[in-house]
Amino acid sequence: MSIESASLRMLTGMAAVRVMMLLALVLPTVSTIADLSSGYRMTEINELADGSGVVAHLELTSGCETYGPNLKELRLTARYEDGGRVHIHITDPLLPRWEIPDMLIPRDRVEHIPIGQSTSPIRFTETSYTLKRESNWIASHQLKITWTKDPFSFSIIRRSNGDVLFNTLPEAEGGRYAFNPMVFKDQYLEISTRLPQNSCLYGLGESTRPSGMRLVPGQSYTLWATDIGSWNLDFPLYGSYPFLMDMRPDGQTHGVLFLNSNGMDIEYKSGDSLTFQVIGGVFDFYFFAGPSPMGVVDEYTQLVGRPAAMPYWSFGFHQARYGYKDIEELESVLAKYDAINFPVESIWADIDHMDGYRDFTLHPEHFPEKRMRSFVQGLHLKNQKLVMILDPGIKIDETYATFTRGRELGVYLRNGTGDGYYVTQVWPGATHIPDFLHPNALDWWTKEVEEFYKIVPFDGIWLDMNEPANFCSGPNCWFDPAVPCIIIDSCCMTCDNDPDKLTRWDNPPYKINGYKSKLPIYKNTVATSALHYDGTPVYNTHNVYGMAEGLATYKALEKVQKKRPFVLSRSSFVGGGAHSAHWTGDNGATWTDMKHSIASMLNSGLFGVPMVGVDLCGFYMETNEELCERWTQLGAFYPFARSHSDIHTGPQEIYLWKSVTETASKAFYWRYRLLPFFYTLMYEAHTSGAPIARPLFFEYWEDKETWEIDTQFLLGSSILVSPVLEPNQTSVRAYFPKGIWYNLFDTSDVIRAEDHGIWKHLSAPKDTINVHVRRGSIVPMQDFAMTTTLARKTPFSLLVAFAPSFHFAEFCAAGRSIVCRGIDREFATGQIYLDDDAQPTMDITEGRASLVKLEAIRTYGHYVLRSTVTQPDCAINQRLIINTVVVLGLQARPFSVHLNGRLASVQVNANDSMMELSGLNLFVREAFELIWNIMPNGNGVHSR
């Protein structure tokens, strides 16, 4: 639909003079790049046809040649969208610029929204506009967009309290600008926002931060995917997540997504502003209203993609090592685990299994095909799994079918001139790098997965080195036959990276701070001047490479295996969690690495990648017994639990130390009992984005004490994990938010934080980790077994956490509650998700998946536990039973128990911390109501 634009000229001659006088005053006193632009002015505005926002024209006021010329015209689209978000998009109106493809993050494109017809100009004031088609929905939206016309800036405001969440106006303070007006050049974009001094910011990853999860004023955060071990501090690592969570003093939280894959620095100035400096693309901002942290992640994952459903088996324990030299060693490792009765869900094959480090191959002597097929068949008979590694580098070898098939389809990245394929060096030597944005790439990759699956029916794929890594650096590298390659993981190519020979892609005018010393962005990766099939330089796509490979691998597995895929990827981007799990890469075997692992794990969940873990006991460096003992305790409660170590260090399997064996067995006994709880949290993540492992502030965002805590974490909202993170310690200082908390391993040990959160020193012997259950929770568990398949068939038990009954009675005696009058109630809730573990999603569908919601209610002396079941005909439900109910906070025996209205005969056990009903034999698929009554004694305290 075409329209007549209403041209609104904003800047008079006198106004222009005043602006230039102001600039003359302030430019010498601000940062060294303050002369990049004096900003833009808004000159024209039109309403979108659907009434959701406006399109406006921006014109440059003045600019300079630093980092290149400023674009003279820009187009702004500002929209209100569903899901509590607003969208600001600013780009070149004349020439298309790089934006993340819809194949990676499907979304509505602003250029596809027609402009409405208007016979008169939109009513337009200095800071707002009125939409002719404005609906009640927009008027009631949680967020509001306002702006200034000259210099152009925009603000995002929370309607409920007027809080300014994002404000790009470079306000003058004492004759100085706080920051530059908006800058838009071809290879340098800059925009800033003001912040209140007391903001609390999280996100902007991935990096290992000694400062913890909360962002630190005065620090710059670089987003550029790199092959750097995560034991290095404050370096950009494997993933790039331009997503920010901002918590304000009242606890209300909003999110900011800068949907741009180009390299960038984000400078958190002295606590009062945030500056985005990006080397390409467009300004594409999404703002999420929240106002809780959980609400923000819900809205964010609605846009970028809900986390992928993970198969049930992936929540078991996994064993890997770079350096298992042959199939006999894999068998030996599993046999040694069997000897200590430790549950190993899967064994992983690192690059050792390959023939000459070629993807989709087996070493003919060390991992022969026939033996591998027999090995995998034996694993599957024992309900165990095999996961195999893939690297993106494809060896250049005319006898290698994967290589030749890829060349026939043209699916490799081309060099910067476009007249040949780009060459890197990784494990196989000379390699080409697949172009996963190529229209033929998915068919080719699926074919390779399919052919390999015929040889080895593996269960999952592990993607490594997919930043993508390169042992050499630069666009002008070649192999010299006269130079032998002695050390395979060192560069054997000859590289000429004379600055005069570099293109603007490999040597951009602005240098991001990725390596802290302004090293080139092509360092140890594909040259950023390399080209995709359509001419797009890797300069634009580098940060989404791992995500694109993960998506292709997920789709290939889904087609080949015809069941729910499992993909673990080292590199990722926002939205990568929609198809891949993640581990935090090559960490170190140090206590600081173990400590930092918690913040890294929590950040991953915040970014929408909830299935995350860390190499237990460390990957690099030599571990030690005490460290490994403590780390396996902690790792038992990571969402993804895997031991993995490097060939250059000694082995570190759990069976090597008696103390580690005993401690890990104890911790993983509880992990396997909690499998239905973990799996239900996966369902919550898949449907709402909620992280499995959560920072305390996600649930207790109104408690400021939780805002800085990243040495503890929650599993869901019910379980609090408080590990020991330092050597030679037998106690730990832990924070307990407001509530009542039961020690999972000894329910007589109760922490009462009744009026507010408290810090407590907890006993933590070397073989013990502190894990507590929150009052108000119903935690589903099953019996321990040596594999997830067997554990999944065992009877359920439900752990119901009420307040201690004497505490409950004291409320009555003190007049602090109306419970005694039978009006008030105490509730506990939980749920169980069950499915066939085959469909890619976790939708509640007939015959495939069920959701059992649990609710327990206590009035004075009267207890009700009931379930409701959605889609009860899930096949896995048919024989599953709930055998036991354990009620915390109840020390008395009931004088009657009724099941579905009839007197029930059950076994009862009661002690000083709980009451247990067993022998229930309740079918999970059938809704039930269990009622029992306790006789209080004369003074209102329940009889023991």
Side-chain angles (χ1 to χ4, degrees):
M1 184 183 297
S2 62
I3 67 164
E4 291 287 332
S5 298
S7 179
L8 306 176
R9 297 295 172 184
M10 304 299 175
L11 188 64
T12 65
M14 290 299 296
V17 172
R18 287 195 295 271
V19 169
M20 295 307 296
M21 292 176 63
L22 178 60
L23 289 172
L25 288 172
V26 303
L27 285 177
T29 62
V30 295
S31 66
T32 57
I33 56 172
D35 60 347
L36 294 176
S37 171
S38 56
Y40 290 80
R41 59 189 178 192
M42 185 181 291
T43 59
E44 183 178 309
I45 186 168
N46 291 276
E47 185 175 352
L48 293 171
D50 64 359
S52 64
V54 297
V55 174
H57 187 76
L58 309 179
E59 289 184 355
L60 180 69
T61 302
S62 67
C64 72
E65 294 300 315
T66 304
Y67 302 146
N70 300 76
L71 271 66
K72 298 185 183 303
E73 299 177 67
L74 298 173
R75 182 183 68 233
L76 160 76
T77 306
R79 295 187 67 217
Y80 294 90
E81 297 186 356
D82 291 327
R85 68 177 183 253
V86 296
H87 185 195
I88 302 292
H89 184 274
I90 302 173
T91 189
D92 186 339
L94 303 176
L95 297 174
R97 294 181 61 83
W98 165 257
E99 298 188 44
I100 297 166
D102 290 349
M103 65 171 286
L104 297 181
I105 302 180
R107 62 202 185 276
D108 291 336
R109 288 288 188 174
V110 294
E111 63 267 25
H112 297 158
I113 304 167
I115 298 173
Q117 291 185 338
S118 177
T119 56
S120 60
I122 294 174
R123 181 183 167 198
F124 184 51
T125 66
E126 192 67 26
T127 60
S128 64
Y129 63 89
T130 299
L131 292 169
K132 292 180 179 297
R133 298 172 181 80
E134 182 169 298
S135 64
N136 291 332
W137 168 72
I138 291 178
S140 62
H141 200 284
Q142 295 179 67
L143 302 180
K144 180 181 180 182
I145 307 169
T146 67
W147 57 62
T148 60
K149 295 182 291 186
D150 190 4
F152 166 76
S153 69
F154 68 88
S155 297
I156 308 298
I157 299 170
R158 190 182 297 281
R159 289 183 191 267
S160 62
N161 60 7
D163 192 13
V164 180
L165 309 184
F166 203 88
N167 180 8
T168 68
L169 179 65
E171 296 179 3
E173 295 179 348
R176 302 185 179 192
Y177 276 159
F179 45 73
N180 295 326
M182 184 177 74
V183 179
F184 203 121
K185 300 169 182 280
D186 184 32
Q187 288 186 263
Y188 182 81
L189 287 71
E190 180 181 326
I191 197 167
S192 301
T193 178
R194 302 189 66 82
L195 293 170
Q197 284 284 349
N198 48 10
S199 283
C200 190
L201 306 182
Y202 306 93
L204 303 181
E206 171 181 28
S207 60
T208 301
R209 300 168 184 167
S211 58
M213 194 175 176
R214 184 172 176 177
L215 303 186
V216 178
Q219 189 155 332
S220 181
Y221 298 90
T222 298
L223 273 62
W224 188 251
T226 55
D227 175 21
I228 294 180
S230 57
W231 52 272
N232 292 282
L233 304 181
D234 286 327
F235 276 82
L237 298 176
Y238 315 99
S240 177
Y241 303 97
F243 175 64
L244 180 75
M245 185 175 283
D246 184 341
M247 185 181 295
R248 294 299 165 89
D250 60 359
Q252 295 201 71
T253 306
H254 66 276
V256 181
L257 171 61
F258 181 21
L259 196 57
N260 183 303
S261 65
N262 288 85
M264 67 182 76
D265 291 331
I266 303 171
E267 185 179 355
Y268 188 10
K269 297 186 178 177
S270 57
D272 59 0
S273 67
L274 199 70
T275 297
F276 298 82
Q277 298 168 285
V278 58
I279 59 175
V282 301
F283 289 127
D284 194 6
F285 283 99
Y286 290 86
F287 300 91
F288 307 98
S292 67
M294 201 72 76
V296 169
V297 172
D298 184 3
E299 294 158 358
Y300 158 73
T301 55
Q302 282 183 46
L303 175 69
V304 302
R306 297 295 199 195
M310 293 290 147
Y312 200 92
W313 64 264
S314 65
F315 287 92
F317 171 76
H318 310 277
Q319 178 62 51
R321 175 171 168 80
Y322 171 31
Y324 288 149
K325 62 182 181 300
D326 53 34
I327 195 168
E328 286 80 13
E329 190 163 7
L330 295 183
E331 292 171 333
S332 174
V333 167
L334 289 172
K336 290 175 182 178
Y337 272 111
D338 273 347
I340 63 168
N341 293 314
F342 192 85
V344 176
E345 188 67 20
S346 71
I347 191 80
W348 293 46
D350 209 316
I351 57 175
D352 315 274
H353 80 267
M354 299 178 183
D355 181 10
Y357 302 114
R358 298 167 177 85
D359 283 341
F360 308 110
T361 66
L362 295 174
H363 192 286
E365 296 178 11
H366 301 156
F367 295 87
E369 289 184 17
K370 187 175 180 180
R371 285 285 313 279
M372 278 296 285
R373 279 195 295 272
S374 176
F375 175 67
V376 175
Q377 288 169 2
L379 287 177
H380 290 169
L381 286 173
K382 295 185 292 184
N383 299 309
Q384 293 176 304
K385 307 294 188 292
L386 175 68
V387 179
M388 307 193 78
I389 197 169
L390 290 175
D391 291 340
I394 303 299
K395 183 173 178 60
I396 302 170
D397 181 350
E398 294 296 333
T399 68
Y400 177 30
T402 293
F403 165 73
T404 56
R405 284 192 289 257
R407 186 179 58 189
E408 289 167 4
L409 293 172
V411 297
Y412 301 124
L413 293 172
R414 306 188 73 85
N415 60 36
T417 60
D419 59 357
Y421 295 121
Y422 180 75
V423 179
T424 66
Q425 181 202 327
V426 280
W427 298 113
T431 58
H432 289 329
I433 301 297
D435 174 4
F436 285 104
L437 302 182
H438 194 290
N440 294 335
L442 179 57
D443 288 343
W444 166 71
W445 196 244
T446 302
K447 172 71 172 177
E448 303 312 313
V449 170
E450 182 178 33
E451 292 301 314
F452 194 45
Y453 189 70
K454 292 175 183 177
I455 299 171
V456 185
F458 51 82
D459 299 281
I461 286 182
W462 165 24
L463 301 175
D464 197 15
M465 307 285 286
N466 59 341
E467 293 68 40
N470 183 1
F471 297 155
C472 300
S473 302
N476 303 312
C477 296
W478 62 93
F479 282 92
D480 185 343
V483 179
C485 192
I486 300 173
I487 304 175
I488 60 172
D489 56 356
S490 296
C491 183
C492 300
M493 301 177 79
T494 300
C495 297
D496 179 7
N497 294 319
D498 185 334
D500 293 336
K501 297 179 181 179
L502 298 178
T503 70
R504 65 191 184 107
W505 305 121
D506 294 306
N507 187 28
Y510 174 77
K511 308 296 188 292
I512 59 174
N513 197 30
Y515 292 88
K516 299 184 181 180
S517 56
K518 302 292 185 181
L519 292 177
I521 59 175
Y522 55 75
K523 174 72 174 175
N524 291 124
T525 190
V526 168
T528 45
S529 57
L531 301 175
H532 289 268
Y533 75 100
D534 61 354
T536 300
V538 170
Y539 179 87
N540 293 324
T541 66
H542 170 84
N543 280 336
V544 295
Y545 187 90
M547 177 186 182
E549 186 193 27
L551 177 60
T553 306
Y554 181 92
K555 289 182 175 180
L557 281 179
E558 187 177 17
K559 182 176 181 180
V560 171
Q561 295 180 320
K562 296 180 172 56
K563 61 182 181 180
R564 183 178 302 167
F566 176 75
V567 178
L568 183 80
S569 179
R570 190 169 79 171
S571 183
S572 192
F573 188 74
V574 295
H579 39 76
S580 303
H582 177 61
W583 92 106
T584 60
D586 298 341
N587 60 353
T590 72
W591 290 89
T592 55
D593 279 85
M594 182 172 69
K595 178 181 178 181
H596 298 330
S597 75
I598 298 177
S600 297
M601 171 183 66
L602 297 178
N603 268 327
S604 184
L606 183 151
F607 296 137
V609 191
M611 190 58 166
V612 58
V614 173
D615 287 346
L616 304 189
C617 303
F619 178 76
Y620 283 132
M621 312 172 202
E622 295 288 344
T623 194
N624 63 74
E625 184 174 356
E626 184 189 4
L627 174 63
C628 204
E629 186 175 11
R630 288 299 193 189
W631 212 327
T632 53
Q633 295 170 13
L634 171 59
F637 298 94
Y638 290 150
F640 172 67
R642 184 184 70 161
S643 173
H644 181 221
S645 57
D646 182 39
I647 192 173
H648 301 102
T649 63
Q652 58 191 45
E653 288 80 11
I654 284 169
Y655 51 72
L656 293 174
W657 301 275
K658 182 179 179 181
S659 66
V660 177
T661 297
E662 293 174 350
T663 297
S665 295
K666 178 180 175 181
F668 276 88
Y669 165 84
W670 283 98
R671 180 186 182 87
Y672 274 66
R673 289 210 64 196
L674 288 167
L675 284 172
F677 176 70
F678 273 102
Y679 197 59
T680 301
L681 291 179
M682 183 71 256
Y683 164 75
E684 293 180 19
H686 181 65
T687 53
S688 71
I692 296 172
R694 303 171 189 174
L696 273 63
F697 70 78
F698 259 58
E699 297 292 334
Y700 299 93
W701 47 282
E702 295 178 332
D703 180 354
K704 292 185 179 180
E705 197 74 17
T706 66
W707 295 7
E708 304 279 355
I709 296 174
D710 47 28
T711 53
Q712 299 169 262
F713 59 94
L714 291 162
L715 292 173
S717 60
S718 299
I719 292 180
L720 175 64
V721 182
S722 307
V724 171
L725 300 170
E726 296 178 354
N728 305 313
Q729 299 296 310
T730 55
S731 66
V732 63
R733 184 171 181 260
Y735 186 72
F736 290 86
K738 182 179 178 180
I740 294 174
W741 300 85
Y742 292 90
N743 187 321
L744 177 64
F745 315 129
D746 177 8
T747 55
S748 65
D749 179 9
V750 185
I751 304 294
R752 296 178 177 86
E754 297 166 20
D755 299 319
H756 53 77
I758 59 173
W759 287 95
K760 294 280 290 184
H761 282 280
L762 306 175
S763 175
K766 284 190 176 181
D767 65 346
T768 302
I769 184 172
N770 277 276
V771 181
H772 289 79
V773 178
R774 181 183 62 85
R775 169 200 179 184
S777 304
I778 301 178
V779 178
M781 294 190 286
Q782 288 176 275
D783 293 344
F784 172 82
M786 290 293 286
T787 65
T788 63
T789 300
L790 295 177
R792 203 176 190 196
K793 297 175 182 178
T794 64
F796 277 85
S797 59
L798 303 179
L799 184 67
V800 182
F802 283 130
S805 58
F806 61 87
H807 171 82
F808 191 70
E810 285 169 0
F811 265 70
C812 300
R816 295 169 65 186
S817 173
I818 56 175
V819 172
C820 296
R821 297 199 293 272
I823 300 173
D824 201 7
R825 297 179 175 185
E826 183 181 7
F827 292 89
T829 58
Q831 57 184 4
I832 306 170
Y833 174 80
L834 297 159
D835 69 6
D836 60 7
D837 203 27
Q839 58 181 346
T841 66
M842 298 179 95
D843 298 331
I844 310 299
T845 53
E846 184 176 358
R848 304 294 294 273
S850 301
L851 184 65
V852 182
K853 293 191 175 181
L854 303 162
E855 179 185 50
I857 307 168
R858 171 163 73 177
T859 55
Y860 195 58
H862 182 70
Y863 294 76
V864 179
L865 173 63
R866 63 170 63 100
S867 74
T868 57
V869 184
T870 305
Q871 294 296 347
D873 295 327
C874 173
I876 195 174
N877 287 353
Q878 300 306 310
R879 296 180 180 86
L880 291 177
I881 63 168
I882 299 170
N883 190 56
T884 305
V885 172
V886 176
V887 184
L888 306 183
L890 173 59
Q891 298 90 12
R893 298 175 64 88
F895 62 83
S896 66
V897 178
H898 287 78
L899 176 60
N900 298 331
R902 295 183 178 183
L903 191 65
S905 176
V906 297
Q907 300 171 23
V908 181
N909 179 44
N911 60 35
D912 287 342
S913 64
M914 59 86 177
M915 186 273 292
E916 180 182 274
L917 302 175
S918 59
L920 294 171
N921 289 315
L922 302 173
F923 282 108
V924 172
R925 60 188 170 92
E926 296 178 358
F928 68 86
E929 183 176 68
L930 188 65
I931 299 174
W932 66 95
N933 294 283
I934 303 295
M935 179 67 73
N937 65 17
N939 63 9
V941 180
H942 295 168
S943 58
R944 301 290 177 108

